[in-house]
Amino acid sequence: MAAATIVHDTSEAVELCAPCGLYLKPITKMTISVALPQLKQPGKSISNWEVMERLKGMVQTHQFSTLRISKSTMDFIRFEGEVENKSLVKSFLACLDGKTIKLSGFSDILKVRAAEYKIDFPTRHDWDSFFRDAKDMNETLPGERPDTIHLEGLPCKWFAAKETGSEKPSEEVLIKVFQKFGEIRNVDIPMLDPYREEMTGRNFHTFSFGGHLNFEAYVQYREYAGFIEAMNALRGMKLMYKGDDGKAVACNIKVSFDSTKHLSDASIKKRQLERQKLQELEKQREEQKRKEKEAEEKQKEEERKQRELEEYERERKREEKLRKREQKQKDREVRRNKKQLEKLQAEEQRKLQEKIKLEERKLLLAQRNLQSIRLIAELLSRAKVISIFISEANEEPSRTKPFADLRGGGEQCSLSNRFTTSAAAIP
């Protein structure tokens, strides 16, 4: 679907669901074909942009809402133009259809043909003939008769529940919008089913050129009249959204009748069974993932414990080695201290022995000095006695010389003997 375009004139908009800000606006498109002349000079070409500008210039009083090239060949250029209102289409066609364009540098003129855009929309004859001729359809059963509309290119944000803040479309909002045409039996938004893409192999998330997420939906009416009224209302219309600020944008949507029995009871039941199988398969996958995760976590835990054990063992060995080293150091320190102590004790003992010897020697010397003093004293004392005896002997009158000589010799001998005896007695 094409991107949403800004709508400046909403006078032709028809209310679809005013509380949701949704309206229907007539499609005001036209196709413009410009026939190209045969190019006689090689290397010369016609500018598509210049042709487009000439077309815009041919409409003097109004301007195109959008004008784009839909196809370009050597023979013609086809444009798709859109205007604001349905009433302007005829005046645009009058200004363009049958007119000619003269381009600078070209002698030939370019003929312009313009016509109202042919809308690709199914008619009542289309669905009546389809369901009448279909061999596998039972028109008495819901979903196998013309009761379901298939919508494509619906903007997600326009059908999102505002109170939830989500940008995903809501089935409740979809029912609220389209129940205007009749009672709705069932709706389906495939993109809301997480298993649908796996079930069908299709991608239900589509983007418009503007980058907005679009979705497709199925709306099944309980009565045929509701289906008819909805199809008639949507024919030739685009979807318009009007915000709270009064600004409006519109986009083209594709509308068709469902020819695939999408909302038949058999199809719904089939999808439910497939969904249950996928859910069971998903549970099995989740269980398998859980077991694998548990096994992985268990293995990681065992590896962690093994690493911790190895680390603990390494730490224990390291501590044991360190303890042994410290013990060896302590033992060496003890031995060294013991040796130093023994050495100190031996040194102290040696010094003590030397001191004792010195004291003994001093004592011996003192004793010897004392003995010497005593001996000298004794000798001096005896010498004094002898001196006295000699002096006394010299002073006495000599009575007779022989007698004196005999006496003196005897006393000298007696004194000498006494001195010798006394000297011998001194220690």
Side-chain angles (χ1 to χ4, degrees), residues 315-343:
E315 185 67 19
R316 188 187 65 79
K317 289 181 179 180
R318 189 183 67 81
E319 290 179 355
E320 182 68 18
K321 187 176 180 180
L322 184 61
R323 187 185 63 77
K324 289 181 178 180
R325 184 184 300 169
E326 290 177 353
Q327 187 63 37
K328 287 181 180 180
Q329 290 179 352
K330 288 180 180 179
D331 294 342
R332 285 196 298 267
E333 187 70 22
V334 169
R335 289 195 298 270
R336 186 166 54 250
N337 293 337
K338 186 177 180 181
K339 287 181 180 180
Q340 290 179 355
L341 181 60
E342 290 175 351
K343 188 177 179 181

Side-chain angles (χ1 to χ4, degrees), residues 286-299:
E286 289 178 354
E287 182 66 18
Q288 182 66 24
K289 287 181 180 179
R290 186 186 64 80
K291 290 181 179 179
E292 290 177 356
K293 187 176 180 180
E294 287 180 354
E296 184 180 356
E297 289 178 353
K298 186 177 180 181
Q299 183 179 358

Side-chain angles (χ1 to χ4, degrees), residues 340-356:
Q340 290 179 355
L341 181 60
E342 290 175 351
K343 188 177 179 181
L344 289 173
Q345 289 177 349
E347 182 68 20
E348 290 292 329
Q349 188 67 25
R350 185 185 63 78
K351 289 181 179 179
L352 182 61
Q353 293 296 328
E354 289 180 353
K355 189 175 181 181
I356 292 171

Side-chain angles (χ1 to χ4, degrees), residues 14-18 22-25 121 147 149 151 154 159 173-185 219-235 237-239 253 255:
V14 179
E15 179 182 321
L16 179 61
C17 181
L22 293 175
Y23 300 82
L24 295 175
K25 185 179 181 302
F121 198 93
D147 59 1
I149 298 175
L151 301 154
L154 300 173
F159 288 85
V173 175
L174 186 68
I175 292 173
K176 183 179 180 180
V177 171
F178 286 96
Q179 69 183 358
K180 174 181 180 178
F181 307 113
E183 184 181 356
I184 292 177
R185 182 177 182 271
V219 179
Q220 185 183 61
Y221 288 93
R222 191 171 293 277
E223 301 293 338
Y224 179 66
F227 170 81
I228 289 291
E229 187 175 350
M231 293 296 283
N232 289 336
L234 295 172
R235 179 179 285 107
M237 294 290 189
K238 60 167 58 178
L239 188 64
I253 60 173
V255 182

